[in-house]
């Protein structure tokens, strides 16, 4: 009987496809498609054919280390591991396995308050790579993030029906928004130009399409190459959002305006950019100094 019970334990692929994803999808759990993509891209190659009771803490810790060694940010490495740990816990609760051997797994420490703001030279190097690399679609995604301050998931899950190019507006549905509220992003000239040059409008539902004619679901591997080509191995995709915020603040926009455009529900999150506003204030103060100097009589 014990042998038969063990034989009944599904592989990770069977469990994810037949139980975990349908459960998350039918119960209205947010992010089920992201969990599916994280499984397909990171978990399935390593553990897809293994029975749930054969997945060890050590092997998962090795995958976490491997992802980190590829240059991914700590948060990016942790995402698929969290999905796996949650799946294992559900399997335990549902009586499929006796124990969740990943319960004591240590995730990588995330520093979400690190803002890698590029210098003018670094920005020039990155844009040059994004304008000349052969992977036009992924480069377009990166430039779009830099031009809108959007999150990667918001861009990749967007549909053409969400865009009003005539009125220069992008509406993000609640199911794709981190705050779970509908929000709008104003589109600048650069963002509109990127969208118009994609060549996918009228042909596909989604703007950003991969080589196989399906919407892009991840760009991390290509991004890792692009940032290295630009000499910026430390730059995260999420830093493009921070860079956009710095553009706004350094041009004199207020923290409130930045909060609204980036969709921060908590103003304290936007405060991380407060130090950048001091540069604009300094420039304003310097303009007064320049005016005074200009008004001073020239000495003989």
């Amino acid at each position: 009987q014990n042998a038969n019970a063990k034989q009944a334990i599904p592989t990770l692929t069977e469990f994810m496809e037949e139980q975990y994803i349908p459960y998350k999808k039918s119960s209205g759990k947010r992010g089920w498609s992201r969990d599916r993509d994280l499984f397909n891209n990171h978990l399935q190659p390593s553990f897809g054919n293994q029975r749930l009771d054969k997945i060890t803490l050590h092997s998962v810790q090795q995958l976490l280390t491997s992802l980190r060694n590829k240059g991914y940010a700590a948060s990016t490495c942790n995402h698929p591991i969290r999905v796996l740990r949650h799946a294992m816990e559900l399997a335990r609760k549902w009586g499929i396995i006796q124990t969740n051997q990943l319960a004591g797994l240590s995730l990588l420490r995330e520093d979400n308050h690190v803002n890698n703001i590029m210098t003018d030279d670094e920005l020039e190097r990155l844009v040059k790579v994004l304008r000349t690399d052969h992977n036009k679609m992924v480069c377009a995604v990166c430039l779009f993030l830099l031009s809108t301050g959007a999150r990667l998931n918001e861009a990749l899950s967007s549909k053409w029906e969400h865009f009003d190019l005539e009125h220069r507006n992008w509406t993000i549905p609640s199911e794709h928004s981190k705050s779970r509220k509908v929000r709008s992003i104003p589109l600048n000239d650069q963002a509109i130009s990127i969208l118009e040059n994609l060549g996918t409008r009228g042909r596909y539902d989604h703007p950003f399409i991969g080589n196989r004619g399906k919407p892009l679901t991840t760009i991390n591997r290509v991004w890792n190459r692009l940032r290295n080509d630009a000499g910026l191995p430390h730059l995260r995709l999420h830093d493009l959002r921070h860079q956009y915020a710095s553009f706004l603040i350094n041009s004199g926009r207020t923290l409130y305006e930045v909060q609204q455009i980036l969709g921060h529900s908590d103003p304290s999150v936007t405060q991380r950019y407060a130090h950048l506003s001091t540069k604009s204030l300094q420039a304003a103060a310097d303009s007064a100094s320049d005016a005074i100097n200009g008004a001073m009589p020239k000495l003989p």
Side-chain angles (χ1 to χ4, degrees):
Q1 186 177 3
N2 289 338
N4 291 335
K6 286 188 175 182
Q7 283 295 98
I9 295 177
T11 64
L12 181 61
T13 296
E14 291 170 343
F15 179 72
M16 295 297 288
E17 293 180 349
E18 298 171 10
Q19 299 188 60
Y20 179 88
I21 298 300
Y23 161 73
K24 296 253 319 192
K25 189 175 182 179
S26 63
S27 59
K29 298 289 184 180
R30 189 163 167 257
W32 67 267
S33 61
R34 185 165 178 265
D35 285 6
R36 178 198 59 200
D37 294 337
L38 287 169
F39 167 70
N40 289 336
N41 293 323
H42 299 292
L43 301 174
Q44 201 279 335
S46 297
F47 306 114
N49 294 326
Q50 291 188 29
R51 292 206 323 250
L52 297 183
D53 60 333
K54 296 299 182 182
I55 299 175
T56 66
L57 179 64
H58 178 66
S59 62
V60 176
Q61 202 76 56
Q62 283 184 315
L63 174 61
L64 190 59
T65 302
S66 172
L67 291 172
R68 190 61 166 142
N69 289 340
K70 291 178 180 178
Y72 295 133
S75 59
T76 302
C77 299
N78 287 338
H79 288 327
I81 307 304
R82 283 196 180 96
V83 171
L84 179 57
R85 188 169 63 179
H86 180 50
M88 297 289 282
E89 181 59 19
L90 284 179
R92 184 195 66 79
K93 288 182 178 179
W94 294 341
I96 298 172
I97 54 177
Q98 291 187 342
T99 59
N100 177 5
Q101 53 267 39
L102 305 186
L105 180 67
S106 298
L107 296 174
L108 297 175
R109 182 177 179 181
E110 300 176 17
D111 188 351
N112 295 324
H113 297 286
V114 173
N115 300 333
N116 294 316
I117 305 299
M118 289 178 281
T119 64
D120 290 345
D121 177 66
E122 290 173 334
L123 178 61
E124 184 177 337
R125 297 205 311 264
L126 177 65
V127 171
K128 182 179 180 180
V129 169
L130 297 181
R131 291 292 189 192
T132 58
D133 190 83
H134 63 86
N135 196 320
K136 302 296 184 185
M137 190 58 70
V138 171
C139 289
V141 173
C142 297
L143 286 169
F144 187 71
L145 299 179
L146 189 61
S147 303
T148 60
R151 299 178 179 90
L152 177 62
N153 178 61
E154 293 170 338
L156 297 187
S157 60
S158 67
K159 293 184 176 181
W160 277 115
E161 64 189 52
H162 302 152
F163 294 95
D164 183 346
L165 299 188
E166 181 181 355
H167 296 96
R168 305 167 69 87
N169 185 68
W170 172 22
T171 301
I172 299 178
S174 58
E175 61 266 28
H176 299 156
S177 173
K178 188 175 181 180
S179 65
R180 303 198 72 174
K181 296 179 181 178
V182 176
R183 72 184 188 94
S184 297
I185 293 181
L187 298 173
N188 53 35
D189 290 344
Q190 186 66 231
I192 289 177
S193 176
I194 292 167
L195 291 171
E196 289 179 337
N197 288 310
L198 288 175
T200 59
R201 192 179 186 186
R203 299 173 58 203
Y204 301 95
D205 291 337
H206 297 261
F208 302 106
I209 302 297
N211 293 331
R212 298 179 180 178
K214 295 184 178 181
L216 287 174
T217 57
T218 180
I219 64 170
N220 286 318
R221 184 174 298 176
V222 178
W223 166 251
N224 195 40
R225 176 177 61 77
L226 293 172
R227 66 180 180 178
N228 282 318
D229 288 347
L232 301 168
H234 62 285
L235 194 69
R236 305 165 302 179
L237 270 169
H238 200 68
D239 289 326
L240 302 184
R241 179 171 162 86
H242 299 318
Q243 189 72 35
Y244 176 80
S246 77
F247 292 155
L248 299 184
I249 290 178
N250 289 332
S251 65
R253 312 322 300 183
T254 66
L255 287 176
Y256 175 78
E257 289 172 312
V258 174
Q259 177 193 345
Q260 296 304 305
I261 293 178
L262 293 186
H264 291 156
S265 56
D266 186 348
S268 64
V269 178
T270 318
Q271 285 296 321
R272 70 171 64 182
Y273 304 114
H275 71 284
L276 296 175
S277 64
T278 60
K279 295 181 180 180
S280 295
L281 295 176
Q282 184 64 53
D286 290 343
S287 65
S289 175
D290 293 339
I292 295 169
N293 287 332
M296 286 183 176
K298 305 296 183 183
L299 296 176

